Amino acid sequence: MPIYNNKFFVGSGNDDEENYFVTPDDIGWDYLINWEHDFIGKEALEAIGKNPPNTVVTLEWNAEDIGDVFASQFRGTAVEPYEAIDEAGDTVDLPRFVVSKVLLDGKMVGRASGRIHDYYHRKEISLAFISKELAVEGQELVVLWGNNGGPQKEIRATVARFPYYNEELRNETFDVEKIPRPNF
């Protein structure tokens, strides 16, 4: 049985092992490929690289939809709650990775990998690997939240800039001379 047998991957995207993998082109790492030797998959990567179908973006999740996921935990025993966003994939004894389908008009157009609360911008965000033609800031999409076989919630999401944090404190632009120092 393969390692991706739903023990390690959870979420709406765990129904197809193809959802677990990305190419270097999908994540913007194609420049790291050493083409000067033969390796398994070289021809496939060369073909994909000519016209990569996907790219990486940041998704900002809709606050009201996230609130509904949290509120579902308190609707009583008559209703099964959605998978808790703050706990999904987080276990001590077994690492799990959340892979959620990204939809447009009910059709899968990519997948979101994990999610995190960005305290600086006060947003829930995730990385997503989506069709290049949809990788436009402001494009509205849907993240299908929840495990297959359980309750699922369509969470509205908007394509945002990537990399998401691109302000003065990024390592490559930060002037270390601005760091306050004690006067000893």
Side-chain angles (χ1 to χ4, degrees):
M1 184 172 270
I3 193 169
Y4 35 82
N5 61 3
N6 297 347
K7 288 183 183 176
F8 298 102
F9 294 92
V10 297
S12 62
N14 78 343
D15 60 345
D16 184 350
E17 64 189 41
E18 292 293 318
N19 292 334
Y20 310 151
F21 304 104
V22 294
T23 69
D25 289 288
D26 290 342
I27 57 177
W29 288 2
D30 51 308
Y31 69 94
L32 296 172
I33 300 172
N34 179 355
W35 298 105
E36 302 304 317
H37 65 94
D38 287 330
F39 57 88
I40 295 172
K42 181 177 181 179
E43 290 178 15
L45 285 178
E46 287 175 327
I48 291 169
K50 291 177 183 172
N51 188 20
N54 300 316
T55 191
V56 62
V57 297
T58 304
L59 291 181
E60 293 178 340
W61 294 23
N62 179 278
E64 287 78 24
D65 293 345
I66 293 168
D68 187 48
V69 170
F70 278 99
S72 75
Q73 309 297 311
F74 309 101
R75 293 189 176 128
T77 58
V79 178
E80 187 176 354
Y82 298 116
E83 178 80 24
I85 287 178
D86 59 341
E87 296 175 1
D90 301 332
T91 62
V92 174
D93 58 340
L94 181 66
R96 301 185 312 161
F97 306 95
V98 179
V99 179
S100 299
K101 292 179 182 178
V102 177
L103 311 172
L104 177 64
D105 299 327
K107 179 182 177 229
M108 185 172 162
V109 294
R111 59 236 185 254
S113 175
R115 78 283 168 250
I116 191 165
H117 182 82
D118 175 1
Y119 289 94
Y120 185 82
H121 295 99
R122 297 183 184 159
K123 302 272 186 174
E124 188 80 16
I125 61 173
S126 63
L127 292 180
F129 309 96
I130 64 172
S131 302
K132 283 174 62 174
E133 63 271 7
L134 299 175
V136 177
E137 282 188 48
Q139 172 70 50
E140 294 182 5
L141 300 169
V142 169
V143 174
L144 185 59
W145 180 254
N147 292 316
N148 293 306
Q152 294 181 320
K153 169 77 175 172
E154 290 189 356
I155 298 179
R156 294 168 287 171
T158 304
V159 173
R161 65 188 177 278
F162 177 83
Y164 192 65
Y165 185 82
N166 200 17
E167 292 152 21
E168 72 167 313
L169 299 179
R170 286 187 57 88
N171 288 346
E172 64 270 17
T173 59
F174 185 71
D175 180 1
V176 295
E177 294 302 319
K178 292 182 179 179
I179 298 173
R181 292 175 174 77
N183 293 329
F184 291 113

